[in-house]
Amino acid sequence: MKKYLIIISVVLLVVFGGWYFFLRETENSESSFELTEIKKGNIQNIVSSTGTLIAVGTVEVGTQVSGIVNHVYVDFNEVVKKEQILAVLDTANLAIAIRDAEAGMIRVQAQYDQAKSDFERSQKLYEKNLISELEFTAAKTQLQSSLASFKSSQVALERATNNLKYAVIRSPISGKVINRNIEPGQTVAASFSTPTLFLIANDLRRMEIKTQVDESDIGLIEVGQDVRFSVQAYPEEKFIGEIKQIRLQPQTIQNVVNYNVIVDADNEDELLLPGMTATVDFIIEQREDVLLVPNTALRFQPTQIMMDEYRKNMQKQFESLPDSIKNQRAQQFGNMGQGGRGMGERSGQPGGMEMGGSSQRNSGRLWYLDENGKLNMIRVRTGATDGKVTEVSGRNIEEGKKVIIGLSKKEQQSQQDNRMPSSTFRRSPF
């Protein structure tokens, strides 16, 4: 009886001892790395910029004549209709100009009538050979010159009449007055550049954002893309827009080439005001409910010692495969020993299989610990990224799988100590 108890005790001791050392080895392996889990979530690839809100259909109302402002009939933020009177200039000098033009036209008309009478008389005398051709030509020239002066005086009178009409400033569109630059009694001068008296927005329920995108990101921007933006006045509010236009004229700012991008935005609640600064996010790509890993996991690179151990494990797994599979993979990848590279080094997965070459675009690799606590690697297809996390997919990729993002601080210190050269103590001869 005692013999059986001793045997059972020895067996239990061996089992529990192996289990203890297995767990300890696994814990030691895991403690050498920093791990994270593959999680499901949403991801957006965005390009950020800033811009200025401007009203759609903004018209600057100026004046074509100079004078003193007599009356201003509208104020800031007032709604106006097309052809509504906004302001009236002093018309005294303009009325005088009309009377002067009328007097000039009467004088020129009298000269024209006289020249016409002289020409008709000269024509009759010339037909009877009573005057020379030179005299007849002079009379004809005088008539044409008088006719030109008469037409010029008519144009002057018409110009003076129009100037009087321009003294009454009317709205060219229906909209809202967002700026007014004149007051009654102020003198305005229409010289080389027309002064802006009023700024009228056609419809503040539609806004535009004028933003700039640098040349490194402009290739990702397309007309019709969705845009998300916010303003400082409503930091918790998110507004939606759409790219309307990409202007081709480049602008160089601090040695960086930028392009103007115009974004359409709804403003039904009229919360957005002209001139506000908008923080704009161009949504390049958007994915929902996909597997995500931190970018540090895709950038992780084992040390040389770890890679040597990994190749040995891959070599053992390859040798344990049946001969038929071994020959098939040997034919696929070539001689296992050719060029001094083993199957584990040639491939990214056990037995030499991999999803694609290391240079393949949208491809990456993740390192993890298998059920035996050994370092292993799996290749994945990468998708959208926001700079922090990346979408991944592939065989054996599932939510909750732990992958390596780096070495633990203890392991990093150990690696640094191993790389430090050993110092040699030399006795001084003195």
Side-chain angles (χ1 to χ4, degrees):
M1 186 67 179
K2 292 182 179 180
K3 182 178 179 182
Y4 290 110
L5 291 176
I6 294 174
I7 294 175
I8 294 173
S9 300
V10 172
V11 171
L12 292 176
L13 181 62
V14 172
V15 171
F16 281 107
W19 177 75
Y20 170 77
F21 284 109
F22 172 76
L23 287 182
R24 184 174 180 182
E25 182 180 358
T26 303
E27 291 177 356
N28 290 337
S29 299
E30 292 184 355
S31 63
S32 300
F33 303 97
E34 292 184 8
L35 304 177
T36 188
E37 290 185 356
I38 299 177
K39 298 180 180 180
K40 277 191 175 182
N42 304 331
I43 188 172
Q44 289 183 343
N45 182 10
I46 62 175
V47 173
S48 298
S49 181
T50 57
T52 303
L53 283 160
I54 56 178
V56 177
T58 303
V59 177
E60 295 180 352
V61 181
T63 177
Q64 290 186 333
V65 295
S66 302
I68 299 174
V69 179
N70 273 354
H71 302 284
V72 178
Y73 295 103
V74 295
D75 202 352
F76 293 92
N77 301 334
E78 283 194 19
V79 177
V80 296
K81 301 295 183 180
K82 187 176 181 180
E83 298 299 328
Q84 179 178 337
I85 298 177
L86 305 179
V88 176
L89 304 182
D90 181 33
T91 60
N93 290 333
L94 298 175
I96 293 173
I98 291 177
R99 293 197 296 270
D100 182 61
E102 289 175 345
M105 188 180 70
I106 292 173
R107 182 178 62 255
V108 173
Q109 186 174 8
Q111 294 173 354
Y112 169 71
D113 292 340
Q114 181 182 358
K116 184 177 181 181
S117 178
D118 291 343
F119 172 75
E120 291 175 351
R121 185 174 58 255
S122 298
Q123 188 176 19
K124 292 178 181 180
L125 294 175
Y126 178 72
E127 290 175 353
K128 296 178 180 180
N129 293 325
L130 297 177
I131 61 174
S132 64
E133 184 180 357
L134 180 61
E135 292 175 326
F136 174 72
T137 302
K140 183 178 179 181
T141 301
Q142 183 63 31
L143 175 62
Q144 292 176 342
S145 178
S146 298
L147 178 60
S149 298
F150 176 67
K151 291 184 176 181
S152 179
S153 65
Q154 288 179 323
V155 172
L157 177 59
E158 185 179 358
R159 182 185 299 112
T161 303
N162 287 337
N163 286 340
L164 182 60
K165 295 179 181 179
Y166 292 146
V168 180
I169 300 171
R170 300 177 182 272
S171 175
I173 61 172
S174 298
K176 182 178 288 188
V177 178
I178 62 177
N179 192 20
R180 191 190 75 182
N181 294 326
I182 59 172
E183 297 291 341
Q186 181 178 341
T187 300
V188 293
S191 54
F192 293 103
S193 59
T194 302
T196 300
L197 308 183
F198 301 93
L199 190 62
I200 300 178
N202 186 11
D203 187 5
L204 289 180
R205 292 174 300 178
R206 298 286 303 172
M207 302 290 287
E208 288 182 348
I209 305 174
K210 184 179 181 181
T211 182
Q212 292 183 332
V213 178
D214 62 56
E215 59 180 334
S216 62
D217 295 325
I218 195 64
L220 303 174
I221 306 299
E222 295 179 357
V223 174
Q225 278 181 344
D226 292 332
V227 173
R228 184 180 61 243
F229 67 95
S230 61
V231 294
Q232 294 181 357
Y234 309 100
E236 303 300 328
E237 190 81 18
K238 295 297 182 182
F239 301 92
I240 303 299
E242 183 178 317
I243 297 177
K244 173 186 176 182
Q245 186 183 57
I246 301 174
R247 296 181 178 174
L248 303 181
Q249 177 64 32
Q251 294 183 357
T252 303
I253 302 175
Q254 296 181 352
N255 296 328
V256 178
V257 178
N258 294 271
Y259 296 87
N260 287 326
V261 178
I262 307 301
V263 177
D264 264 342
D266 289 328
N267 190 27
E268 292 295 336
D269 298 331
E270 297 191 8
L271 299 177
L272 304 174
L273 303 178
M276 283 184 171
T277 299
T279 302
V280 183
D281 291 333
F282 299 96
I283 302 175
I284 307 303
E285 190 176 8
Q286 185 173 359
R287 302 295 300 275
E288 296 181 354
D289 197 27
V290 294
L291 296 175
L292 303 174
V293 295
N295 289 354
T296 51
L298 294 169
R299 293 194 298 263
F300 174 73
Q301 180 62 39
T303 63
Q304 185 60 43
I305 297 176
M306 295 176 181
M307 287 299 299
D308 292 340
E309 184 67 23
Y310 168 72
R311 294 189 186 100
K312 291 179 181 178
N313 294 333
M314 293 298 101
Q315 184 68 26
K316 291 180 181 178
Q317 291 185 24
F318 177 76
E319 291 176 353
S320 64
L321 293 174
D323 293 339
S324 58
I325 299 178
K326 196 181 302 183
N327 294 334
Q328 179 182 358
R329 295 187 178 179
Q331 293 176 0
Q332 180 179 359
F333 293 101
N335 189 359
M336 182 177 63
Q338 185 177 0
R341 294 178 58 179
M343 182 62 69
E345 185 177 0
R346 179 181 296 274
S347 67
Q349 299 197 36
M353 294 298 292
E354 60 179 346
M355 291 174 59
S358 59
S359 61
Q360 182 181 0
R361 190 179 179 183
N362 298 332
S363 175
R365 58 184 181 179
L366 296 174
W367 295 88
Y368 67 98
L369 299 176
D370 60 17
E371 61 275 7
N372 298 321
K374 301 297 184 179
L375 184 66
N376 209 333
M377 185 265 287
I378 186 171
R379 289 199 176 272
V380 295
R381 289 184 296 271
T382 58
T385 179
D386 61 0
K388 296 180 180 179
V389 296
T390 299
E391 174 194 0
V392 293
S393 61
R395 189 173 59 182
N396 299 329
I397 298 297
E398 58 185 11
E399 184 179 7
K401 185 179 182 65
K402 291 185 178 182
V403 294
I404 300 173
I405 60 174
L407 299 176
S408 64
K409 294 182 179 180
K410 181 179 179 181
E411 184 68 22
Q412 292 178 7
Q413 183 63 39
S414 175
Q415 295 295 331
Q416 292 177 359
D417 293 341
N418 291 335
R419 287 196 296 266
M420 292 178 60
S422 59
S423 58
T424 303
F425 175 77
R426 293 184 180 182
R427 183 183 298 275
S428 172
F430 300 101

